[in-house]
Amino acid sequence: MHLKAGPRNSLTDVAGLRVGHADDPVLKSGCTVVTADAPFVAAVSVMGGAPGTRETDLLAADKTAPGVDALVLSGGSAFGLGAAEGVMAGLRAAGRGFAVGPARVPIVPAAILFDLLNGGAKDWTDSPYPALGRGAFEGAGAEVALGSVGAGAGALTGQVKGGLGSASCVTENGITVAALVAVNAMGSATTPSGRHFWAAPFEIGAEFGGLGPDPASGLQPMPPSRKAGAMAAQGNTTIAVVATDARLDKAQTQRLAVAAQDGLGRAIVPAHTPLDGDLVFGAATGAMELSDPVSDLATLCHAGSVALARAVARAVWEASPADRDLLPTFHETLGR
């Protein structure tokens, strides 16, 4: 099975999808929006023990809504769910939403990560997240910035700064699968040496430095968490979107989301802990027909997990330093 990166190596290699970020450097937080010109099929898989979500019940295969208008990843813990309100306002202004008689209701599921203790100014009176959501929606386009932006603006991993990452795969039959992730894990994306990524075996080219796998063999003890020492063990969660241009129904899209969780397990150690709200949205735009529903879906599931593992490493690789950071970036730990 041969997989290659798409032309942008980002979620927008899935034709029709757009991504927007909005963040505040003083707040050290932000949000990221995935949208399209038409509703798309979506599903969700939750494997972390401490999730924060909005409208995810609608994504079950037995629920009425056939598609969504946008997906939101946000910082801010439960306050960040308000970003979806800003996205809804933008969609409503554009005349978008699920038709209920003459009314239209935009369908905007959301998931959040905890970044309230990351050194940013959190003394606001009125939540900034609805405005951030509206800004991210209105700025959505084909180019996807990576690193300390959007939902990953204030993200931290166990050892170094996290961030926002993306990566794509194109299968041998021309179907694209791509991932977008905000990495704020309790665990570490880097091996115990701090000089290699757990996701290294899945790297394409030198998209996160070409450092290769850690030469150490066997089970290695993990170093003490810098994150737990700097703030609190509870301030975590990795949230993602894994999308494809294949025509999938809700059940197939959920299987894609479930399989993509393997990418988090490959790229973050430990993952899916009781102190993480790890969640993957699946999305399908329906442009490409499956030639074999069984074998093609199996390939897409594998590609989704590979894309997500790579996106996690890219998020950490692309993180940039800022004032009042509690943790160094990966590059700072290497002395670069």
Side-chain angles (χ1 to χ4, degrees), residues 91 115 126 129 163 178 192:
L91 286 161
D115 59 7
D126 295 322
Y129 289 99

Side-chain angles (χ1 to χ4, degrees), residues 222-246:
M222 295 296 291
S225 170
R226 289 185 180 131
K227 183 176 184 177
M231 45 178 282
Q234 291 85 358
N236 308 300
T237 293
T238 298
I239 46 180
V241 178
V242 174
T244 180
D245 54 5

